[in-house]
Structure formats: C-alpha cells, structure tokens
Amino acid sequence: MAAIKTIGILTSGGDAPGMNAAIRAVTRSAIFSGFKVKGIYRGYKGLIDDEIVDFHTQNVSNIIQQGGTILKTARSKEFPTPEGHQQAYDNMKKEGIDALVVIGGDGSLTGARQFASEYDVPIIGLPGTIDNDLYGTDHTIGYDTALNTIMWCVDRIRDTATSHERLFFIEVMGRNAGFLALNGAIASGAEAAIIPEISTEVDQLAELIQNGFRKTKNSSIVLVAESPITGGAMGLAERVRKEYPQYDVRVTILGHLQRGGSPTAQDRILASRMGSAAIDALLEGQRNVMIGDANDEIVYVPFSKAIKNDKPIDCDLLNILRRLSI
Ligand code: F6P
C-alpha cells in the first residue's frame, strides 16, 4: 500500500448532531499526525462533482457545538454506479487524496464498502446517525442528542396530555430500529414503546391495552418507532379510534426536530474519540473498518459486519419499561 499523505473527509446520508465534532477531530488529529486534509462537500456527490477544498485547523474552529454538518450532506444516486465510482476515484487521484474518512450511517458505509471493493482506497467509517442502528458499536454519533431532544419534547407533551387526560402516540425516527423509541420512552417515563424489533411476534397495541393500560392513570404516552412494521403513530391512533373509542387520542410526529440541535457532551466526546481513532486506524494500516465503541473501548468493526448484521435491541429494557409504567 502506498504511503498515505492526504486524507479526504466527508459526511453522507442523514445529518446527525456531533458530525461537526467528528470533522474537527479527524481534521485536527490528521494534521497533528502530519497528514494533509481535504474537506469534501455534499458527501459522495461532492466527490463526483469535485467539490473539494483544503482543510486547515482553522476550518474546523468553533464548530464543536454546532448541529448539522459544515461539509453538508447528500444522498447520491450516481455514486453507486460504475461511472460514479470511476469519477469519484479519478477526482481523488486528481486531488491527491490517498484515504477517506466517511462519517454517516448504514447507507453511507454500504457505499464506502462497495467503493473499496472495486478501487484500492483505504476507507475508515465513523458511525454518524441518530438511529444507533450500526452493529458493533454501542453508540452512534448523534444518538444521545436525539434521545435528549425526544425527552425534552415528551416532557412538554406530557403536560398537555395530563391536563386533557389524553392518550398520545408520539412517533420518533429510527429508520427500522427501535433504539430511540425504547430508550426515549424510558428516559421520559412513557407508558410504552412500540418498536419494529418485536412487532412481528406480538400485536403490541392489543397487548398494551389488554394489560390494563391506563388502569391507574388519566393520561398516557406511547412512543412509536417510525416503521412500516409498527404502522407508525398515525396507523396506531386510527386503530385505537376504531377499536377503543373510549380513548381521546392525539398524535405527534417529532420528525426532523430530532436531527437538529447542539450536540450533547456525550456526543461531542464520542465524536472526538472516534475522529481521533480514525487517524490512529489509518496509521496502523487499517482499512475498510468502522470505528465503534464497545464497553467504552474503541474497536474496529469491518464494514461487512457493521452494515450486514442487525444490531440487537436489549429486551431487558422493554421489561424495565413495562415494570416502571404500572
Ligand atoms: O437515518 C436517519 C434518519 O433520520 C432516519 O431516522 C429517518 O428514517 C431518515 O433519516 C429520514 O431521512 P430524510 O431526512 O431523508 O427524510
């Protein structure tokens, strides 16, 4: 493998709070270790369109506290094509970029894996997504901030739910994973969480209501993970209106609120550790791995594992939620 002199960095897919902290950490660790850094705008799209600029330490000043990504992000349809890969590779060569650090979620790391299987490009991935759905890492960058945002919102909804004695279904993001819904429910003291991981086995709504749901309470909050499997908050509310008309039901979809905001301390620290670890990984000759955290230790997770395996959800959390919502 040729010596790495210049590292390109990009953010891709859905943005997540803490991506800027990660960009800062990668840039500064790389410069500290003697590499040159180039910032690639708009993810893989910018690699194809040659939207690439030199990055110095001052390019990443004053960004650790900002949500979103200063590099912008995009989902590129062109990149996965043979022409897209070729164009991206040609631009890397033209710009003298020898290795890439890709910050993003499942789709972004899938893109990295495919690219690296066709071209001799060392790539290190950082898990940047609010969904927390990447296998091999306990946390993804942005997850903790989104969880705190959900908690903040649910606290407010609870005030009005209690005043009106209503049943609220609050839909949260997560793509096909229930981490935000389940831990958001525990953190906000919600009565239940409806998540895709167990929806195929039981009718969670019937179970919820038949188990004496609201026996002791006037208002109730149920967090619902967005997913065709759960039916989403709208679908569940419709069902309750038909099957249990005694409930006064309302729906709130938190949507992209969950993606914004200044990252929490935990996300900033995680992003700083992972960004720094990405450069260590390249110095050690690693390639095509995602940086993860497992039991508070930094680990290298091959792309094939991070994206292929479904990350299991801890069912004990569901039991805790049930126990605490009586
Ligand atoms: O992967 C992050 C995420 O916010 C998911 O939770 C959600 O399903 C999706 O992105 C929304 O994507 P978009 O911003 O393109 O609507």
Side-chain angles (χ1 to χ4, degrees):
M1 186 173 66
I4 296 170
K5 294 200 186 89
T6 302
I7 297 169
I9 171 167
L10 62 84
T11 50
S12 162
D15 62 350
M19 278 185 164
N20 282 327
I23 294 168
R24 171 180 178 269
V26 171
T27 303
R28 294 211 167 150
S29 301
I31 293 170
F32 181 85
S33 299
F35 295 113
K36 277 185 71 182
V37 179
K38 297 210 175 193
I40 301 159
Y41 282 85
R42 297 180 181 79
Y44 295 119
K45 186 175 180 308
L47 197 54
I48 292 175
D49 297 342
D50 199 8
E51 291 190 83
I52 301 171
V53 301
D54 288 344
F55 253 38
H56 306 284
T57 57
Q58 59 272 29
N59 287 86
V60 295
S61 292
N62 202 15
I63 64 167
I64 194 168
Q65 76 284 17
Q66 290 173 24
T69 159
I70 58 160
L71 284 175
K72 315 286 183 202
T73 184
R75 303 188 204 265
S76 169
K77 288 212 176 81
E78 206 188 338
F79 179 66
T81 65
E83 299 75 30
H85 278 177
Q86 182 67 55
Q87 186 64 47
Y89 185 74
D90 291 348
N91 282 336
M92 279 184 67
K93 292 291 111 189
K94 191 176 96 183
E95 296 282 347
I97 296 173
D98 311 301
L100 285 178
V101 176
V102 171
I103 308 169
D106 189 86
S108 310
L109 300 188
T110 303
R113 184 184 180 214
Q114 280 163 356
F115 188 41
S117 71
E118 288 169 32
Y119 292 89
D120 184 23
V121 178
I123 308 183
I124 304 295
L126 295 191
T129 167
I130 64 165
D131 300 336
N132 201 34
D133 60 346
L134 287 162
Y135 184 88
T137 188
D138 291 343
H139 304 97
T140 57
I141 297 165
Y143 172 60
D144 184 63
T145 307
L147 212 44
N148 276 281
T149 302
I150 291 168
M151 186 179 74
W152 189 94
C153 293
V154 177
D155 286 351
R156 274 143 192 85
I157 293 170
R158 187 178 288 288
D159 290 344
T160 175
T162 308
S163 305
H164 286 266
E165 303 183 288
R166 281 174 169 157
L167 164 58
F168 264 83
F169 287 104
I170 303 176
E171 184 173 301
V172 302
M173 283 186 167
R175 216 163 50 102
N176 296 312
F179 296 97
L180 286 170
L182 183 51
N183 282 313
I186 292 177
S188 58
E191 277 61 40
I194 298 201
I195 57 173
E197 286 83 351
I198 63 158
S199 288
T200 44
E201 293 148 31
V202 282
D203 181 346
Q204 294 177 81
L205 182 64
E207 190 191 56
L208 195 73
I209 295 195
Q210 277 147 24
N211 282 350
F213 176 61
R214 287 191 63 182
K215 210 165 36 189
T216 57
K217 298 176 182 182
N218 294 328
S219 66
S220 299
I221 308 257
V222 178
L223 262 64
V224 183
E226 62 165 3
S227 156
I229 301 174
T230 62
M234 287 290 193
L236 287 164
E238 270 319 294
R239 265 193 68 190
V240 171
R241 285 190 185 111
K242 276 199 202 114
E243 296 172 31
Y244 311 93
Q246 66 273 31
Y247 292 137
D248 188 11
V249 184
R250 291 292 184 278
V251 169
T252 305
I253 296 175
L254 296 185
H256 287 80
L257 252 183
Q258 297 160 92
R259 287 243 295 266
S262 179
T264 57
Q266 198 166 312
D267 271 332
R268 296 182 198 195
I269 294 165
L270 184 69
S272 300
R273 289 178 69 199
M274 287 181 161
S276 207
I279 301 307
D280 291 340
L282 285 172
L283 285 167
E284 288 167 23
Q286 294 282 343
R287 43 161 61 206
N288 311 333
V289 294
M290 178 190 83
I291 306 295
D293 78 319
N295 301 320
D296 210 27
E297 298 280 333
I298 291 291
V299 291
Y300 301 145
V301 188
F303 284 156
S304 51
K305 272 199 178 169
I307 54 189
K308 270 243 168 118
N309 295 347
D310 275 343
K311 182 170 169 177
I313 204 152
D314 182 357
C315 285
D316 276 352
L317 291 172
L318 212 53
N319 293 333
I320 290 170
L321 180 63
R322 283 194 184 121
R323 193 184 300 169
L324 300 186
S325 67
I326 54 173

